[in-house]
Amino acid sequence: MKTVIGLEIHTQLSTETKAFCSCKNDVYAEVNTNICPVCTGQPGALPILNDQVVEYAIRAALSLECEIHEISSFDRKNYFYPDLPKGYQITQYFHPIATNGHVDLNNGKRIRIQRIHIEEDAGKMFHSSETITEARSSLVDLNRCGIPLIEIVTEPDMEKPEEAREFMEKLRDILRTIEVSTGNMEVGALRCDANVSIRDKERSSSRVEVKNINSFKFVQRALEYEIERITEVMKNGENVPQETRGWDSLTKSTVSMRSKEAENDYRYFPEPDLPILVISKERIDRIKKELPELPDEKAEKYEKTLGVTRDNAKILAKDKTLSKYFENAVASGLSAKDTSNWIVNEVLALFNSDSTEFNHERISIDNLKKIMDYTNSSKISRLVAKEVMAEVYKSGKDPDTIVRGKNLLQVSNENELISVVKEVIAENPDTVAKYKSGKTSVLGFFVGGVMKKTKGKADPKIVGKLIKQLLDDEN
Ligand code: ADP
Ligand code: MG
Ligand code: ZN
C-alpha cells in the first residue's frame, strides 16, 4: 500500500488594501463596510491590480524556491454562489506567476511545489442553521470579496499525514517570517485542501479531496481518517469514487460534498479587464536581496555556528519573536547551548501548558538570565528553578524577590543537611539493607527522600555524597 498526498493551499495576503480596488483589507470590520463597486461586481466597474499583492506573491514564491515568470496573466473562473456577486473570481489559471518550487521537510524529504498563483477571495456566508441545506435564511458579508490570496499547489509528493502537517507548519512559518500573511489557520487566513489516493500492487484508488480543514492538527486527522476509509473501501473490493469531501471538526470525520460528475465547469477564460502582468528581472533580484533569513537558514546557523542541537535550532528558528529572544539572550552573554535548552524545555513548556503564543515579556531576558545564573552557580536546584520560572510566568515578579521571599536558596552546607540525611536513612532500614547487599542504585531513592523533605532546596550532589559517606561508614 502506498499513500499519495498533495495539497492545495490558499493564504490571505496581509496587504493594506484589496487585490483589485482600494477597499481596506480587513475581514474584522463591521459587515459589508469595506466594499465598493469593484469588489461587489457593479456593472462597468474596472479592476486595477494592487502592486503590493504582486510584491507579496513574489516574496512568497522566492521563499518557496519557485521560478518567477516575467510574464503572467489573469483569468476568470466562473461560477454562481451568493458569496460571489461578480459571478466570477479573478485568478491566474493559464499563466501563473510562479512554478517549480519546493519545501524540504526536516527529514530532508523534498516536497515540490507545482505552482503559485494570485487570486481573489469570495465573501463569507452565515446560515441560520448548521448546514446550508437546513438553513431557512442566509446572510452574506462581502468584506472578504476581493481580498488577495495566493494559491500554492504541491505535487503529490507526501506519503504520510504527518508530512502534510509538517509541510503546512513549515509553510506558515515561512509566510510569517517574510510577513506576507498571518498564516493563521483557525481564522481562515491559511486554508488547505488535502488530496489523497491509495495505491496497492494492482490498482490505485481515485483521488479524494478533503476541504474545510481549519487547523494543523486537523490536516493530519482528516488524512488519517480518509486513508482508513479508502483502505476499507478497497479491501471490500469496492470502487473509491473520485469526490470532494468536507472535514467536519465536530464529528472528526469527512462527509461527501460532491462527486466528480457534479464538479463545476468553471469556463475559464482570460480576464479582459486586466493587462498582462510583467515583472522585471531587476524587481525579482531586488526582492530576493531584501528577503529576511528564512527559518531553515536560521536553524542551520544556530546549529553550525552556535552549537545548538538540530531539534532546538529548528524550534527556535520557526518564529521571529522567539528567535529574536534567543539571539538577544545569547547577545547578553548567556551560553547559546544552555540558553537553547532553557528556552525549549522550560520557557516554551510554560507557554504550551496554557496554549498561549510565545511573548518575550512574560519571561524577560533579564529574568531568564537571573534564573539561569542562580542555577548554574548552584544557588537553586533545577527543580526550584522550574518553580521560580513558573512563578515569574504567572505573576511577572522578579526572580530575586521570589527566591528571597520563599527562602529557596539551595542548601549546600553539609552541617545543615546532615540531620535530614540521617532522618531519611533512619526511616528506611529496608532500603539501607538493600544498599548494603550491594544494590547501590538505591542511592537515588535516598537523595529523592532528602529533596522531598527540603522541598527541593538541598544540593543533590552534596546530599549524594553525604548519604554514601554515612552508609559506607556504617560498614
Ligand atoms: P485539479 O486541478 O483537478 O484539482 P491537479 O492535478 O491540479 O487537479 O491536482 C490538484 C492537487 O491534487 C495537487 O495538490 C496534486 O498534488 C494532488 N494530486 C494529484 N494527483 C494525485 C493523486 N493521485 N493522489 C493524491 N493527490 C494527487
Ligand atoms: Mg482541486
Ligand atoms: Zn472594493
Side-chain angles (χ1 to χ4, degrees):
M1 287 281 202
K2 188 171 181 276
T3 303
V4 181
I5 298 168
L7 303 175
E8 292 164 278
I9 300 127
H10 287 91
T11 190
Q12 281 176 352
L13 301 177
S14 326
T15 52
E16 306 290 323
T17 54
K18 292 188 181 181
F20 303 110
C21 61
S22 54
C23 290
K24 267 212 287 251
N25 174 357
D26 177 9
V27 278
Y28 297 110
E30 176 73 24
V31 294
N32 294 317
T33 51
N34 287 328
I35 55 175
C36 75
V38 175
C39 55
T40 56
Q42 307 299 310
L46 290 173
I48 296 172
L49 177 61
N50 176 355
D51 193 55
Q52 200 179 19
V53 172
V54 180
E55 188 82 4
Y56 282 17
I58 298 174
R59 226 192 265 172
L62 287 174
S63 305
L64 298 169
E65 307 284 348
C66 287
E67 223 174 277
I68 313 284
H69 299 297
E70 284 175 59
I71 288 177
S72 64
S73 55
F74 292 92
D75 305 292
R76 289 187 183 182
K77 176 181 181 176
N78 302 280
Y79 64 93
F80 172 77
Y81 203 68
D83 65 4
L84 189 74
K86 280 216 294 260
Y88 61 86
Q89 192 183 11
I90 303 179
T91 180
Q92 296 191 294
Y93 184 71
F94 297 107
H95 303 286
I97 186 168
T99 49
N100 284 330
H102 59 85
V103 167
D104 292 338
L105 300 182
N106 286 347
N107 64 7
K109 182 168 176 172
R110 175 155 292 184
I111 309 304
R112 291 168 302 158
I113 289 165
Q114 204 178 84
R115 58 186 278 151
I116 295 182
H117 58 257
I118 297 171
E119 56 185 34
E120 58 178 336
D121 215 342
K124 204 171 153 112
M125 302 279 295
F126 298 88
H127 307 299
S128 61
S129 303
E130 200 57 50
T131 64
I132 186 169
T133 39
E134 288 165 17
R136 294 177 55 91
S137 66
S138 297
L139 296 169
V140 63
D141 175 11
L142 301 180
N143 282 345
R144 209 175 67 178
C145 278
I147 281 185
L149 304 172
I150 47 173
E151 176 168 349
I152 300 162
V153 183
T154 78
E155 294 287 351
D157 287 347
M158 285 155 276
E159 291 159 291
K160 294 191 200 113
E162 304 91 280
E163 291 178 348
R165 178 186 181 151
E166 188 189 336
F167 179 90
M168 288 302 293
E169 289 178 343
K170 291 201 94 153
L171 180 65
R172 174 207 43 199
D173 297 340
I174 292 170
L175 295 170
R176 283 188 176 171
T177 301
I178 62 175
E179 294 179 348
V180 302
S181 175
T182 64
N184 206 335
M185 278 196 93
E186 286 70 17
V187 297
L190 181 64
R191 315 195 279 264
C192 145
D193 303 336
N195 295 272
V196 56
S197 64
I198 294 179
R199 222 177 270 159
D200 63 15
K201 279 192 204 79
E202 293 114 53
R203 62 214 174 112
S204 172
S205 78
S206 300
R207 162 161 71 91
V208 174
E209 180 173 354
V210 187
K211 287 188 178 288
N212 301 338
I213 306 174
N214 60 357
S215 84
F216 295 95
K217 191 169 75 194
F218 290 157
V219 172
Q220 187 172 338
R221 290 282 278 279
L223 283 165
E224 281 164 358
Y225 181 91
E226 218 26 50
I227 290 165
E228 203 168 300
R229 189 190 66 84
I230 297 173
T231 310
E232 196 60 30
V233 175
M234 286 172 88
K235 251 198 230 146
N236 295 339
E238 291 163 35
N239 248 353
V240 178
Q242 179 167 348
E243 62 179 344
T244 302
R245 299 178 70 88
W247 169 251
D248 182 341
S249 53
L250 288 176
T251 58
K252 310 267 188 303
S253 63
T254 66
V255 281
S256 182
M257 289 167 77
R258 54 180 180 265
S259 67
K260 172 82 177 156
E261 292 71 46
E263 279 290 329
N264 272 312
D265 174 4
Y266 294 117
R267 295 160 36 244
Y268 286 99
F269 64 84
E271 165 62 65
D273 291 341
L274 283 167
I276 277 173
L277 174 58
V278 181
I279 301 168
S280 71
K281 267 205 172 63
E282 290 73 28
R283 183 173 190 185
I284 299 170
D285 288 341
R286 194 242 321 139
I287 297 176
K288 202 182 266 178
K289 276 204 206 90
E290 286 170 4
L291 277 183
E293 199 170 30
L294 296 177
D296 277 351
E297 296 168 348
K298 211 178 260 176
E300 190 165 325
K301 188 179 76 184
Y302 292 166
E303 198 185 342
K304 299 260 159 71
T305 66
L306 295 176
V308 172
T309 63
R310 191 178 150 83
D311 286 350
N312 280 355
K314 291 274 184 203
I315 294 171
L316 294 170
K318 259 163 148 341
D319 175 86
K320 252 205 299 209
T321 33
L322 186 61
S323 60
K324 192 104 209 105
Y325 178 71
F326 168 66
E327 287 175 19
N328 286 343
V330 173
S332 82
L334 289 168
S335 124
K337 202 163 174 169
D338 204 16
T339 309
S340 74
N341 286 327
W342 275 92
I343 297 178
V344 171
N345 300 330
E346 312 298 347
V347 177
L348 288 184
L350 287 169
F351 286 94
N352 289 338
S353 71
D354 55 8
S355 317
T356 8
E357 229 169 281
F358 173 76
N359 168 2
H360 67 98
E361 281 163 11
R362 293 288 293 271
I363 297 175
S364 68
I365 290 174
D366 266 0
N367 287 346
L368 173 70
K369 192 168 179 336
K370 278 182 186 171
I371 297 171
M372 285 175 66
D373 286 345
Y374 270 124
T375 318
N376 289 339
S377 58
S378 296
K379 287 201 176 110
I380 62 176
S381 66
R382 189 84 190 195
L383 208 69
V384 169
K386 263 185 205 268
E387 195 187 315
V388 174
M389 195 176 272
E391 180 72 34
V392 173
Y393 180 75
K394 217 169 62 197
S395 67
K397 276 195 205 141
D398 183 272
D400 293 333
T401 316
I402 299 168
V403 168
R404 244 185 285 118
K406 292 191 164 177
N407 188 23
L408 294 174
L409 285 184
Q410 181 154 270
V411 183
S412 44
N413 182 322
E414 298 192 8
N415 293 333
E416 273 179 63
L417 289 172
I418 197 93
S419 60
V420 188
V421 171
K422 280 186 176 158
E423 239 176 81
V424 173
I425 289 176
E427 282 165 9
N428 296 285
D430 294 354
T431 320
V432 172
K434 271 192 202 148
Y435 179 82
K436 296 207 166 158
S437 68
K439 208 163 177 257
T440 51
S441 62
V442 297
L443 259 184
F445 169 82
F446 290 113
V447 177
V450 176
M451 296 308 287
K452 213 168 174 182
K453 276 188 192 275
T454 58
K455 298 201 170 68
K457 275 164 48 185
D459 181 335
K461 266 198 230 114
I462 300 202
V463 172
K465 195 186 84 179
L466 288 174
I467 294 169
K468 214 162 156 340
Q469 264 173 16
L470 283 172
L471 291 175
D472 291 347
D473 277 359
E474 286 179 32
N475 273 332

